[in-house]
Amino acid sequence: MTTKTRKKRWAVSVLTAAAVLGSSLIPLSSAGAAAAIPVSIQVDTGKDRSEISPYIYGTNAGMDMTGTEGFTARRLGGNRMTGYNWENNASNAGSDWYHSSDSYMCTVMGIPDAPGTTECDTPGLVHTKFHDQSLQQDAYSLLTLQMAGYAARDKDGEVAESETAPSARWSEVQFSKGAPFSSQPDLTDGKVYMDEFVNFMVDQYGSASTSTGVQGYSLDNEPALWSHTHARIHPNPVGARELVDRSASLSKAVKAVDPAAEVFGGVFYGFGAYLNLQEASDWEAVRGNHKWYIDYYLDQMKRASEAEGKRLLDVLDVHWYPEAQGGGQRITFGGVGNTETKKARMQAPRTLWDPTYQEDSWIGQYFSDYLPLLPKLKQSIDEHYPGTKLAMTEYNYGGEGDISGGLAQADVLGIMGKQGVYMANFWQIGEDTSYVSAAYKLYRNYDGSGSAYGSTNVRAVTSDLDNSSVHASVADETNDELHLIVMNKNMEAPLQADIAITGDKTYSSGRVFGFDAASPNVTEAAPVTSIAGNHFTYTVPPLTAYHIVLKASGDSNNPPETAPETPTGLKAAAGEQSVTLSWNASAGAASYTVKRAAAGSSSYVTLASQVAGTTYTDPNVTAGTTYHYVVSAVNSKGESPDSAPVSATPTGSTMPPETGLVLQYRAADTDAKNNQIKPHFNIRNTGTKAVNLSDLKIRYYFSKDGSAAMNAWIDWAQVGSSNINRTFADGYVEVSFAAGAGTLAAGGQTGDIQLRMAKNDWSNFDESNDYSFDPAKTSYSDWNKVTLYHNGTLVWGIEPLSASY
């Protein structure tokens, strides 16, 4: 795949089919009142145990996203690497960009290449820069070697057809130098030596057997497409026998320098290459009894290895860009697509493993005997070259910035672990990768502190493959920590997941993290609090992926939990426009909940939950106002009674209210009868003075319709979601700002503040008579039925005559 333009992949798969066949956390607003879907999930920690390769959480060069995904393997590959010259860092784009030879790979790696600079001319700098980054991230480096015959000699731009290799625009690639190596390669000999490059890396970093050496080398990139992608290098289609011969020869050269390095071979672009090497001209002549080219390649590499006396292929390397379609569109290219495209995308990972599933594609229709894909590839390995590992070093399921792509990616990562894949590397196509990023974080950094999915796969099955996916692992051989990935692929209905666990440990508590259609942010959801006999139920909203982390009980290191004790010693210290609370630690507490009531009120509302320590500072107060506080302790078994109350009156001067403030509102969810409320706000300052946002509060009035407790989230805010607080009072939700939200300049506006609310039991609201709700306001407009307060004084809107639940 191209590293420059990321353009649409050449539709060779369609051409192949024609030739072969002779013919061409929180539910979505659409959830409504859909009834929950019952799903039975069975987990057995004693069955299907297998090691999960750490390298399935991989990516490709230049596609490191936010840097918090916890990538474990990095590949320097793509079309650019077929014509890359390590001696001067020139590369050729091939058909991706006018067959241009230039210094683009330096740009990808962040190497200065302005006129007059020479850093990009440093031998091997693209590779050393890349490997240095991998070492910093403690990630496996997979580098690509050149095998098509020629590498770019210059950086002078477009290569004309008349300059097809051999010509002065190209240096000949030779696998073995047959002479002493040099750390400063000869730039005038017209040759580029692969074994000299491997030696160059070994000299700098040590062999693959050391902690700093390069661990793997790939035998070029997608050779079945060379005649199309790199017609100036290899204008004729590669032959079936030719690819084996080149692969074996290059591998010998690598192993002679670094015997411990792993060789990745085949690097097949997709099914057309798996099947017959894109209809190689000599395929039928050499095919024999082999079902597809994969079998032949493995068999021939095994024979070459036996003749050489050493393994020449360590990893069978394939690429996979699904051909599945939905709603008349392929899931992988062309954007997110329509509803049917999204549904097909979420189902498409089943082609990797599920024999009961048939996708809507030419592969599924005409070549179903070769599916499901991963078991068939492993079967070929077992039959023709046992011990060879399996990698998928490029893949993409589309919809990278959409929940459908996030769920597909999360499912694929779980499948890779279940199926024993050795390495898998995501390849970016779209600009927005937020949901793919979320999928990686769900496994590798679910709590924001680097906590990860377990390293040993265990059995997990669901009764409903259409609507759900489930994967399970344990952290180590003790089974004390059990990880479940549970996904709801239904667009409308929640799942009522009935989860039963069989094993040698009893699990007593669980934390839950996830993302959903409203936001790719991985956040903590309600904990698992009632587990009886390793059995519990948990509701998974529509289009949601959860990572459930269960802890075992019953041994001296992890005794059973009871109700935590009530906190004692609560103290409140009034400060300047703040109140600081402190209390004694409670036995059995996992966290604390801080609640507050205003003067004259006996109604305490939650101010902060999941407080880890025994102190809390409340910055959202008004000077001169008295506040009452209580604290409760929480663990997986429940919540303690509230502590004895304390009061405090913060000090500080109170500025006169700013009268130039305007509150705007829009209804992000216009369905009045579903299980969430989604008001969005924007505050405009039409006055002449800047205003501290921490001095402002918004009140949105609604009816709760029932007795269940309320939850509220900020999906996104221009001023930062973490800078916005939500508290519930009798008849309204109050939105306030922390000091970190900054100031609202004169003439400025806050931008989007996206509030979302739901009840703990996910029951429906009826907003039709809510004071603040207006479904006609689908874009921001001034709305006086939502109120705004500056330092406690009403400055915008009209309060209702009465407001109550």
Side-chain angles (χ1 to χ4, degrees), residues 25-26 403 407 435 438-439 441-443 445-447 484-487 511-517 519-526 538 540-541 543-548 713 756:
L25 279 182
I26 307 301
I403 182 62
L407 291 176
Y435 272 99
K441 291 175 185 175
L442 193 69
Y443 283 85
N445 188 19
Y446 59 81
D447 61 355
L484 306 179
I485 302 292
V486 181
M487 284 170 273
R511 296 177 69 186
V512 182
F513 303 82
F515 64 89
D516 56 33
S519 172
N521 295 328
V522 178
T523 57
E524 188 159 10
Y538 198 86
V540 184
L543 296 180
T544 296
Y546 278 152
H547 184 157
I548 303 173
W713 301 264
R756 191 155 42 93

Side-chain angles (χ1 to χ4, degrees), residues 309-324:
K310 64 179 70 171
R311 175 177 277 275
L312 296 178
L313 181 68
D314 297 284
V315 186
L316 175 66
D317 189 344
V318 302
H319 294 172
W320 184 246
Y321 294 86
E323 297 280 353

Side-chain angles (χ1 to χ4, degrees), residues 1-9 58-66 69 71 75 321 332-333 393-401 409 425-434 436-437 440:
M1 200 76 177
T2 173
T3 55
K4 184 164 185 175
T5 62
R6 295 177 186 157
K7 69 176 188 177
K8 197 169 186 178
R9 175 176 287 268
T59 187
N60 277 271
M63 303 173 192
D64 291 328
M65 301 184 202
T66 68
E69 289 78 12
F71 291 123
R75 170 180 175 259
Y321 294 86
T332 313
F333 299 102
T393 61
E394 281 189 25
Y395 71 93
N396 186 297
Y397 276 74
E400 296 145 281
Q409 181 66 39
N425 306 77
F426 169 78
W427 184 279
Q428 181 177 345
I429 295 175
E431 293 301 320
D432 181 0
T433 59
S434 56
V436 169
S437 171
Y440 277 97

Side-chain angles (χ1 to χ4, degrees), residues 284-304:
E284 291 302 329
V286 302
R287 179 176 184 175
N289 294 323
H290 298 104
K291 183 175 181 180
W292 55 351
Y293 186 77
I294 291 283
D295 289 350
Y296 174 80
Y297 184 81
L298 289 165
D299 179 59
Q300 293 299 308
M301 289 300 288
K302 179 175 182 290
R303 293 170 186 264

Side-chain angles (χ1 to χ4, degrees), residues 24 104 153 180 211 234 258 265 304 478 481 548 572-573 582 593 614 660 717 724:
S24 67
Y104 178 74
R153 184 181 294 188
S211 61
H234 196 289
D258 192 351
T478 67
E481 187 175 280
I548 303 173
S582 62
T593 298
T614 56
I724 301 179

Side-chain angles (χ1 to χ4, degrees), residues 348-390:
R350 294 171 65 180
T351 294
L352 294 175
W353 71 274
D354 182 6
T356 70
Y357 179 72
Q358 181 173 316
E359 66 181 24
D360 178 11
S361 73
W362 60 269
I363 301 175
Q365 184 176 2
Y366 300 112
F367 298 100
S368 59
D369 286 351
Y370 297 86
L371 302 176
L373 183 63
L374 294 179
K376 292 296 184 182
L377 290 171
K378 291 195 296 180
Q379 179 181 343
S380 290
I381 288 172
D382 292 342
E383 290 181 3
H384 298 285
Y385 200 173
T388 305
K389 301 170 184 176
L390 176 61

